[in-house]
Amino acid sequence: SLEKLSEHPLAQSIFQHAQSHNISPKEVAQFEALPGRGVKGKINEKSYFIGNRRLIADQQLLIPQEVEDRILQMENQGKTVMILADESSILGAVAVADVAKETSKKALEKLRKRGLDLVMITCDNFNTARAIAQEVGINNILSEVLPDEKTREIVKLQKTGKKVAMVGDGINDAPALAQADLGIAMGSGTDIAMETGDIILVKNDLNDVVTALELSEETMGKIKQNLFFALFYNLIGIP
């Protein structure tokens, strides 16, 4: 019921799964999205929370050891775990497999061969981020990063003299997309992300990032070629 009102892709996955099992949502009052943590709301006058470890810590709730062990097991498999709680205790957890596309690893390898440094930046915890990063071949990981912190991480990279391209798809990514030297938004992402990005990948395929870079290089090459011949022609023509 809470996830129905959230715009996060993983929340929609949970809601759609519930629909496939003919589970009807309940009315939610005082719904609030908590960026980088989860959501909360009231059902039948009782407060509920669903989100990551940071959200549970904010509520000063302890995760029972048997639940913690199961969560760690799922995180090490690359699954994102969202914990459900009320005001006094943990009620359960939902794991969503954020599966990497088959094309992603090859696309990232092409980007690496072009001399680019690859960094994963995510709100997920380190265990989940590491599992996905290892699957696609990324060594640099920035995990448990809140939306406003993503922008600061981009600024840090820029201050080292690097030009930064950011690929993202959610509301949480919009500020970082705006801060980056090049913002690349996924076509399946939120409207605000697509409006913020300089480039939109319609097919949601990271190979199109490679294509975009190749096209930009060819375009700049053609511009320089045209300038050279225009200058050369005029230098000959003026005498």
Side-chain angles (χ1 to χ4, degrees):
S1 300
L2 290 170
E3 298 290 40
K4 178 186 177 183
L5 302 177
S6 172
E7 293 186 354
H8 197 286
L10 297 184
Q12 292 304 307
S13 295
I14 291 174
F15 177 64
Q16 289 167 12
H17 183 73
Q19 280 189 311
S20 70
H21 286 73
N22 298 316
I23 299 172
S24 300
K26 299 179 181 296
E27 290 293 325
V28 178
Q30 300 179 29
F31 174 83
E32 184 180 352
L34 307 167
R37 288 170 292 174
V39 296
K40 68 178 183 178
K42 285 191 173 184
I43 300 175
N44 297 329
E45 300 299 320
K46 188 174 182 179
S47 294
Y48 293 94
F49 310 84
I50 183 166
N52 57 24
R53 294 174 182 273
R54 194 178 302 219
L55 175 62
I56 299 304
D58 288 346
Q59 305 310 312
Q60 298 182 332
L61 297 175
L62 293 176
I63 302 175
Q65 189 58 50
E66 63 271 19
V67 177
E68 175 68 29
D69 292 342
R70 181 72 177 120
I71 290 174
L72 277 173
Q73 180 184 5
M74 292 187 288
E75 287 175 347
N76 289 330
Q77 294 170 356
K79 296 175 182 177
T80 300
V81 180
M82 282 160 283
I83 304 165
L84 177 66
D86 57 21
E87 293 175 318
S88 59
S89 62
I90 306 299
L91 302 178
V94 181
V96 181
D98 199 5
V99 182
K101 290 186 176 181
E102 293 181 3
T103 56
S104 295
K105 186 174 182 178
K106 292 181 179 179
L108 293 171
E109 183 61 33
K110 290 177 184 176
L111 292 172
R112 191 180 294 106
K113 286 181 178 178
R114 296 175 69 86
L116 301 179
D117 296 325
L118 305 179
V119 181
M120 173 187 283
I121 182 167
T122 176
C123 293
D124 271 334
N125 69 81
F126 178 74
N127 292 326
T128 302
R130 179 180 58 186
I132 297 295
Q134 288 176 344
E135 184 179 345
V136 297
I138 294 178
N139 296 321
N140 298 324
I141 305 169
L142 298 174
S143 59
E144 298 182 35
V145 182
L146 293 175
D148 59 329
E149 293 173 345
K150 285 185 179 181
T151 305
R152 289 202 290 269
E153 293 295 341
I154 297 292
V155 171
K156 285 182 185 177
L157 291 171
Q158 290 171 327
K159 285 183 176 179
T160 65
K162 295 181 182 294
K163 295 291 185 183
V164 180
M166 165 78 181
V167 183
D169 64 354
I171 293 175
N172 294 344
D173 295 325
L177 288 170
Q179 176 62 43
D181 298 284
L182 176 64
I184 304 174
M186 292 293 191
S188 63
T190 59
D191 291 341
I192 189 170
M194 287 191 285
E195 287 186 20
T196 307
D198 302 297
I199 296 173
I200 299 174
L201 305 183
V202 178
K203 293 189 293 185
N204 306 309
D205 188 338
L206 286 182
N207 278 305
D208 287 344
V209 174
V210 182
T211 302
L213 294 177
E214 290 173 346
L215 283 172
S216 67
E217 288 179 355
E218 290 181 19
T219 301
M220 288 304 298
K222 186 60 67 177
I223 289 172
K224 292 175 181 177
Q225 184 186 74
N226 289 344
L227 287 172
F228 169 77
F229 281 110
L231 181 62
F232 180 77
Y233 176 83
N234 284 316
L235 284 175
I236 299 296
I238 289 172

